[in-house]
Amino acid sequence: MSDRTPIIAGNWKMYKTSSEAKSYVSEFLPLVDGVSDVEIVICPPYTSLADVVHMTQGSNVLVSAQNMHYEDEGAFTGEISASMLTDLGITDVVLGHSERREYFCENDVDLAKKITKALSANLRPILCVGESDEDREAGRTEEKLKGQLIKGLADVSADQLAGMVVAYEPIWAIGTGKTATPQIAQDTIRFIRETLAAEFDAGAAAQVRILYGGSVKPDNIAELMSEDDIDGALVGGASLKASDFAQLVNYK
Ligand code: PGA
């Protein structure tokens, strides 16, 4: 058993208006009241961040953005900076989600800049990495993950790495209902931890929380969480209903 505190994070993606977000949080908070051995994170869209931070103040729920730009400010229409997030009270930011990489052409070089900026602004990055179906079929999973980690974390110190979160999200499992088996998730996350130890720092690799993401549901979370190297879950679809997400948080 590791002494890494588990993190259960709900990524709402492009779902929920502000009013929907507010009703969700009112329903959700009492359902997870008293949970202290799991870090709970909600990642709403930008338009609900302020409301959700306001409603969760003083609670056991942290609020994360789903993305941010690496510049402090400037002529970047449609983008959001780190200080815009921290000014609201946001603590975390998801970076490099496979949907950002695939549909919005995010690359590892930009991600490295985003991670450095987030860390310098005191935002905790949740860096997503993962292989496609083709990568796995062709035996390229490890090569792909290693490349994403080395490039994305290029400018991160050992201390910074220790406080970060990595989410292993196989693209073939996201939103498909096809969850990785606990064995595949464990083996791949173990590989990520070993790579971080070899390429960066062994102490930091032992401390960094590594989550699994991809069709996590109330009926498969306990099995995933029983694996040694899996420190939590990044959940999409099953985080959209307050009662389901509360069940995930209360997986024990
Ligand atoms: P999913 O999404 O749980 O709907 O598969 C996971 C994610 O994209 O973080």
Coordinates of all heavy atoms in Angstrom, one line a residue, residues 141-184:
T141 N 3.1 1.3 -27.4 CA 2.6 2.0 -26.2 C 3.7 2.7 -25.4 O 3.6 3.9 -25.1 CB 1.8 1.1 -25.3 OG1 0.7 0.6 -26.1 CG2 1.2 1.7 -24.1
E142 N 4.7 1.9 -25.1 CA 5.7 2.4 -24.1 C 6.5 3.5 -24.8 O 6.8 4.6 -24.1 CB 6.7 1.3 -23.7 CG 5.9 0.2 -22.9 CD 6.7 -0.8 -22.2 OE1 7.9 -0.9 -22.4 OE2 6.2 -1.5 -21.3
E143 N 6.8 3.4 -26.1 CA 7.6 4.4 -26.8 C 6.8 5.7 -26.8 O 7.3 6.8 -26.6 CB 7.8 3.9 -28.2 CG 8.5 4.7 -29.2 CD 8.3 4.2 -30.6 OE1 8.2 3.0 -30.8 OE2 8.3 5.0 -31.5
K144 N 5.4 5.6 -27.1 CA 4.6 6.8 -27.1 C 4.5 7.5 -25.8 O 4.7 8.7 -25.7 CB 3.2 6.3 -27.5 CG 2.1 7.4 -27.6 CD 2.3 8.2 -28.8 CE 1.2 9.3 -29.0 NZ 0.0 8.8 -29.6
L145 N 4.3 6.7 -24.7 CA 4.2 7.3 -23.4 C 5.5 7.9 -22.9 O 5.5 9.1 -22.4 CB 3.8 6.2 -22.4 CG 2.4 5.7 -22.6 CD1 2.1 4.5 -21.6 CD2 1.3 6.7 -22.3
K146 N 6.6 7.3 -23.2 CA 7.9 7.8 -22.8 C 8.2 9.1 -23.5 O 8.6 10.1 -22.9 CB 9.0 6.8 -23.2 CG 10.3 7.1 -22.6 CD 11.3 5.9 -22.8 CE 12.7 6.3 -22.5 NZ 13.7 5.3 -22.8
G147 N 7.8 9.2 -24.8 CA 8.0 10.4 -25.5 C 7.2 11.5 -24.9 O 7.6 12.7 -24.7
Q148 N 5.9 11.3 -24.6 CA 5.0 12.3 -24.1 C 5.6 12.8 -22.7 O 5.5 14.0 -22.4 CB 3.6 11.7 -23.9 CG 2.9 11.6 -25.3 CD 1.5 11.0 -25.1 OE1 1.2 10.2 -24.1 NE2 0.6 11.3 -26.0
L149 N 6.0 11.9 -21.9 CA 6.5 12.2 -20.6 C 7.8 13.1 -20.7 O 7.9 14.1 -20.1 CB 6.8 11.0 -19.7 CG 5.6 10.2 -19.4 CD1 6.0 8.8 -18.8 CD2 4.7 10.9 -18.3
I150 N 8.8 12.6 -21.5 CA 10.1 13.3 -21.6 C 9.9 14.7 -22.1 O 10.4 15.7 -21.6 CB 11.1 12.4 -22.4 CG1 11.4 11.2 -21.6 CG2 12.3 13.2 -22.7 CD1 12.4 10.2 -22.3
K151 N 9.0 14.8 -23.2 CA 8.9 16.1 -23.8 C 8.0 17.0 -22.9 O 8.3 18.2 -22.7 CB 8.3 16.0 -25.2 CG 9.3 15.3 -26.2 CD 8.7 15.3 -27.6 CE 9.1 14.1 -28.3 NZ 8.1 13.5 -29.2
G152 N 6.9 16.5 -22.4 CA 6.0 17.3 -21.7 C 6.6 17.8 -20.4 O 6.3 18.9 -19.9
L153 N 7.5 17.0 -19.8 CA 8.0 17.3 -18.4 C 9.4 17.9 -18.6 O 10.2 17.9 -17.6 CB 8.0 16.1 -17.5 CG 6.6 15.5 -17.2 CD1 6.7 14.2 -16.6 CD2 5.8 16.5 -16.3
A154 N 9.8 18.3 -19.8 CA 11.2 18.7 -20.0 C 11.8 19.7 -19.0 O 12.9 19.6 -18.7 CB 11.3 19.2 -21.5
D155 N 10.9 20.7 -18.6 CA 11.5 21.7 -17.7 C 11.1 21.6 -16.3 O 11.1 22.6 -15.6 CB 11.1 23.1 -18.3 CG 11.5 23.2 -19.8 OD1 12.6 22.9 -20.1 OD2 10.6 23.6 -20.6
V156 N 10.7 20.5 -15.9 CA 10.1 20.3 -14.5 C 11.2 19.8 -13.6 O 11.9 18.8 -13.9 CB 8.9 19.3 -14.6 CG1 8.5 18.9 -13.2 CG2 7.8 20.0 -15.3
S157 N 11.3 20.3 -12.4 CA 12.3 19.8 -11.4 C 11.7 18.6 -10.7 O 10.5 18.4 -10.7 CB 12.6 20.9 -10.4 OG 11.5 21.1 -9.5
A158 N 12.6 17.9 -9.9 CA 12.2 16.7 -9.2 C 11.1 17.1 -8.1 O 10.1 16.4 -8.0 CB 13.4 16.1 -8.5
D159 N 11.3 18.2 -7.5 CA 10.4 18.7 -6.4 C 9.0 18.9 -7.1 O 8.0 18.6 -6.5 CB 10.8 20.0 -5.8 CG 11.7 19.7 -4.6 OD1 12.0 18.5 -4.4 OD2 12.2 20.6 -4.0
Q160 N 9.1 19.6 -8.2 CA 7.8 20.0 -8.9 C 7.1 18.7 -9.4 O 5.9 18.5 -9.2 CB 8.1 20.9 -10.1 CG 8.5 22.3 -9.7 CD 8.9 23.1 -10.9 OE1 9.5 22.6 -11.8 NE2 8.6 24.4 -10.8
L161 N 7.9 17.7 -9.9 CA 7.3 16.5 -10.4 C 6.6 15.8 -9.2 O 5.5 15.2 -9.4 CB 8.4 15.6 -11.0 CG 7.9 14.2 -11.5 CD1 6.9 14.4 -12.6 CD2 9.1 13.4 -12.0
A162 N 7.2 15.8 -8.1 CA 6.6 15.0 -6.9 C 5.2 15.6 -6.6 O 4.4 14.8 -6.2 CB 7.5 15.2 -5.7
G163 N 5.0 16.8 -6.8 CA 3.7 17.4 -6.4 C 2.7 17.4 -7.6 O 1.5 17.8 -7.4
M164 N 3.1 16.9 -8.7 CA 2.2 16.9 -9.9 C 1.3 15.7 -9.9 O 1.4 14.8 -9.1 CB 3.0 16.9 -11.2 CG 3.5 18.2 -11.6 SD 4.3 18.0 -13.3 CE 2.9 17.4 -14.3
V165 N 0.4 15.7 -10.9 CA -0.5 14.5 -11.2 C -0.3 14.2 -12.6 O -0.3 15.1 -13.5 CB -2.0 14.9 -10.9 CG1 -2.8 13.7 -11.1 CG2 -2.1 15.4 -9.4
V166 N -0.2 12.9 -12.9 CA -0.2 12.4 -14.3 C -1.4 11.5 -14.4 O -1.8 10.8 -13.5 CB 1.1 11.6 -14.6 CG1 1.0 10.9 -16.0 CG2 2.4 12.4 -14.4
A167 N -2.1 11.7 -15.6 CA -3.3 10.8 -15.8 C -3.0 10.0 -17.0 O -2.7 10.5 -18.1 CB -4.5 11.6 -16.0
Y168 N -3.0 8.6 -16.8 CA -2.8 7.7 -17.9 C -4.2 7.4 -18.5 O -5.0 6.8 -17.9 CB -2.1 6.4 -17.5 CG -2.2 5.3 -18.6 CD1 -1.8 5.6 -19.9 CD2 -2.9 4.1 -18.3 CE1 -1.9 4.6 -20.8 CE2 -3.0 3.2 -19.3 CZ -2.6 3.4 -20.6 OH -2.7 2.5 -21.6
E169 N -4.4 7.9 -19.8 CA -5.7 7.8 -20.4 C -5.5 7.1 -21.8 O -5.3 7.9 -22.8 CB -6.4 9.1 -20.5 CG -6.6 9.8 -19.2 CD -7.8 10.7 -19.3 OE1 -7.9 11.5 -20.2 OE2 -8.7 10.5 -18.4
P170 N -5.6 5.8 -21.9 CA -5.5 5.2 -23.2 C -6.7 5.7 -24.1 O -7.8 5.7 -23.7 CB -5.7 3.7 -22.9 CG -6.2 3.6 -21.5 CD -5.9 4.8 -20.8
I171 N -6.3 6.2 -25.3 CA -7.4 6.9 -26.1 C -8.5 5.9 -26.4 O -9.6 6.3 -26.5 CB -6.7 7.5 -27.3 CG1 -5.7 8.6 -26.9 CG2 -7.7 8.1 -28.3 CD1 -4.8 9.0 -28.0
W172 N -8.1 4.7 -26.6 CA -9.1 3.6 -27.0 C -10.1 3.4 -25.9 O -11.1 2.7 -26.1 CB -8.4 2.3 -27.4 CG -7.3 1.9 -26.5 CD1 -6.0 2.2 -26.6 CD2 -7.4 1.1 -25.3 NE1 -5.3 1.6 -25.6 CE2 -6.1 0.9 -24.8 CE3 -8.5 0.4 -24.7 CZ2 -5.9 0.1 -23.7 CZ3 -8.2 -0.3 -23.5 CH2 -6.9 -0.5 -23.1
A173 N -9.9 3.9 -24.7 CA -10.8 3.6 -23.5 C -11.6 4.9 -23.2 O -12.6 4.8 -22.4 CB -10.0 3.2 -22.3
I174 N -11.3 6.0 -23.8 CA -12.0 7.2 -23.4 C -13.4 7.3 -24.1 O -13.4 7.3 -25.4 CB -11.2 8.5 -23.8 CG1 -9.9 8.5 -22.9 CG2 -12.0 9.8 -23.5 CD1 -9.0 9.6 -23.2
G175 N -14.4 7.4 -23.3 CA -15.8 7.5 -23.9 C -16.2 6.4 -24.7 O -17.3 6.5 -25.4
T176 N -15.6 5.3 -24.6 CA -15.9 4.1 -25.5 C -16.6 3.0 -24.7 O -17.2 2.1 -25.3 CB -14.6 3.5 -26.1 OG1 -13.8 3.1 -25.0 CG2 -13.9 4.4 -27.0
G177 N -16.6 3.1 -23.4 CA -17.2 2.1 -22.5 C -16.2 0.9 -22.4 O -16.4 -0.1 -21.7
K178 N -15.1 1.0 -23.1 CA -14.1 -0.1 -23.1 C -13.0 0.2 -22.1 O -12.0 0.8 -22.5 CB -13.5 -0.2 -24.6 CG -12.8 -1.5 -24.9 CD -12.4 -1.4 -26.4 CE -11.1 -1.9 -26.7 NZ -10.6 -1.7 -28.1
T179 N -13.2 -0.1 -20.9 CA -12.2 0.2 -19.8 C -11.0 -0.7 -20.0 O -11.1 -1.9 -20.3 CB -12.8 -0.1 -18.4 OG1 -14.2 0.4 -18.5 CG2 -12.1 0.6 -17.3
A180 N -9.8 -0.1 -19.7 CA -8.6 -1.0 -19.7 C -8.8 -2.0 -18.5 O -9.4 -1.6 -17.5 CB -7.4 -0.2 -19.4
T181 N -8.3 -3.2 -18.7 CA -8.4 -4.1 -17.5 C -7.5 -3.6 -16.4 O -6.5 -2.9 -16.7 CB -7.9 -5.5 -17.9 OG1 -6.5 -5.4 -18.3 CG2 -8.6 -6.2 -19.1
P182 N -7.8 -3.9 -15.2 CA -7.0 -3.4 -14.1 C -5.5 -3.8 -14.3 O -4.6 -3.1 -14.0 CB -7.6 -4.2 -12.8 CG -9.0 -4.4 -13.2 CD -9.0 -4.6 -14.7
Q183 N -5.3 -5.0 -14.9 CA -3.9 -5.4 -15.2 C -3.2 -4.5 -16.2 O -2.0 -4.1 -16.0 CB -3.9 -6.9 -15.6 CG -2.5 -7.5 -15.6 CD -2.0 -7.6 -14.2 OE1 -2.6 -8.0 -13.3 NE2 -0.8 -7.0 -14.0
I184 N -3.9 -4.2 -17.3 CA -3.3 -3.3 -18.3 C -3.0 -1.9 -17.7 O -2.0 -1.3 -17.8 CB -4.2 -3.2 -19.5 CG1 -4.2 -4.5 -20.3 CG2 -3.7 -2.0 -20.4 CD1 -5.0 -4.5 -21.6

